[in-house]
Amino acid sequence: MATVPLLWAPRGKATDCHFIEAPVERAALPRCASCIDLNSPPTTPTSSSPSLPTTAHSIYSDTQTMVHVRSVLQNVCSALLLLAMGTEGLKFDIQAGSGHDSLSRRCIRNFVAKDMLVVVTAIVDGYKGDGMQLNMHIMDAAGNEYGKPKDIAGEQRTVFTSHADAAFDVCFENILTGNKYVQNPNRHVELDIDIGADAKDWAAVQASEKLKPVETELRRIEEMVGEIVSEMDYLRHREQKLRDTNESTNNRVKWFGFLTTFLLVGLWAWQIMYLRAYFRSKHLI
């Protein structure tokens, strides 16, 4: 006969607890396979059962593998997101107005090298005669104009070859004509600018020159590599020009410093000679 402590609490008083010794037969207690008998001597673990350090090492290895897989998936998702963002054009809304204020005029700037093919594609909603007139103006920093279409609606494509190494602006202005009432005076514009190899119609090139798909892709990659080489040459030329400007400015500042020093020394000597002659004329020295 053995006694087992039981926990008893009156109803409604969870904090007022009492222990009751209940007589229980030892043989009546159920035997659990996973329980440990404290009265029995300890048993040594067999070689078939894994030890605690081995289990911890396997858990750590699994965790490291999961972290590595998660990092790879995050990098792949980021690359796909950047690719999707790179293939999509610029979208914006432009409000109608006088055409001279900041709300009704929007400009997008991009840089292009000399003798580079540029294709500007603008897709505009609305239609002609809806009370708004959307005009587009393309001009570079050197003053060259490449297109000035007026009252555009739908798809408008402008193709030109750049005349200088400069930035060009694609400007839109939305003007209220006053012919009819406009409930929502806004135009939605989708702008896509392709430069260089991206501006060519490679399907037409493949059909005209009877090239294989692999040859067409190699041709496109070759032109892209040529553009990269040309851009690197342009950057090297710009770096040399900036270095020459820096050296010229440094020399000018150096000679200006020498001239200022000589002038100050000459002014100091003249002041000493003048004051000495003045004091001698007054018989002070």
Side-chain angles (χ1 to χ4, degrees):
M1 183 69 66
T3 58
V4 178
L6 298 179
L7 181 63
W8 174 82
R11 182 176 299 177
K13 297 181 179 180
T15 57
D16 190 7
C17 301
H18 304 278
F19 285 97
I20 302 174
E21 298 290 338
V24 179
E25 294 288 341
R26 182 179 297 273
L29 293 175
R31 183 67 177 175
C32 179
S34 61
C35 298
I36 300 176
D37 191 1
L38 298 179
N39 297 325
S40 61
T43 58
T44 59
T46 60
S47 60
S48 60
S49 61
S51 60
L52 182 59
T54 306
T55 307
H57 178 71
S58 62
I59 293 175
Y60 178 77
S61 301
D62 295 340
T63 306
Q64 291 294 107
T65 305
M66 292 177 63
V67 170
H68 179 68
V69 171
R70 183 178 179 183
S71 177
V72 172
L73 291 177
Q74 287 180 352
N75 294 332
V76 171
C77 292
S78 300
L80 292 176
L81 181 61
L82 290 176
L83 181 62
M85 291 176 62
T87 56
E88 187 176 349
L90 180 64
K91 300 180 181 180
F92 58 91
D93 294 332
I94 180 170
Q95 184 178 351
S98 62
H100 302 288
D101 53 347
S102 60
L103 296 178
S104 61
R105 184 176 177 84
R106 185 76 59 87
C107 291
I108 293 89
R109 176 168 295 180
N110 202 343
F111 181 83
V112 66
K114 186 179 180 180
D115 298 331
M116 193 71 67
L117 180 64
V118 181
V119 177
V120 178
T121 305
I123 302 176
V124 185
D125 65 346
Y127 56 92
K128 296 183 179 180
D130 59 351
M132 293 180 291
Q133 180 180 351
L134 185 65
N135 303 325
M136 185 172 67
H137 188 200
I138 304 175
M139 185 178 64
D140 63 2
N144 302 313
E145 290 190 1
Y146 300 107
K148 199 173 182 180
K150 294 182 178 296
D151 197 9
I152 61 176
E155 183 176 352
Q156 176 69 34
R157 178 170 295 181
T158 305
V159 183
F160 63 91
T161 302
S162 60
H163 300 325
D165 295 329
F168 68 95
D169 295 335
V170 182
C171 296
F172 297 90
E173 57 179 6
N174 194 8
I175 303 174
L176 283 173
T177 58
N179 296 332
K180 57 186 298 186
Y181 172 73
V182 182
Q183 183 177 3
N184 185 18
N186 289 306
R187 283 286 185 91
H188 181 72
V189 181
E190 296 183 10
L191 181 63
D192 189 12
I193 301 175
D194 296 324
I195 302 174
D198 296 333
K200 287 188 176 181
D201 189 1
W202 291 105
V205 173
Q206 180 180 0
S208 62
E209 299 184 9
K210 297 180 180 180
L211 300 176
K212 296 180 180 180
V214 178
E215 294 176 347
T216 306
E217 187 67 20
L218 290 176
R219 185 85 167 271
R220 187 180 68 86
I221 294 175
E222 182 182 2
E223 290 203 6
M224 292 179 64
V225 171
E227 291 176 3
I228 294 174
V229 172
S230 300
E231 186 174 358
M232 294 298 294
D233 291 338
Y234 171 76
L235 292 177
R236 182 173 56 85
H237 176 70
R238 289 282 298 175
E239 189 270 336
Q240 291 178 356
K241 187 176 180 180
L242 291 175
R243 184 181 59 188
D244 295 340
T245 304
N246 189 16
E247 291 178 356
S248 175
T249 305
N250 188 17
N251 290 330
R252 291 181 181 180
V253 171
K254 180 181 66 175
W255 290 113
F256 178 77
F258 288 160
L259 180 61
T260 305
T261 304
F262 292 152
L263 288 177
L264 291 176
V265 171
L267 181 62
W268 171 72
W270 177 80
Q271 286 181 348
I272 291 179
M273 294 175 62
Y274 175 78
L275 292 176
R276 180 178 296 178
Y278 176 78
F279 290 147
R280 282 181 180 177
S281 64
K282 298 297 183 180
H283 301 284
L284 297 177
I285 56 175

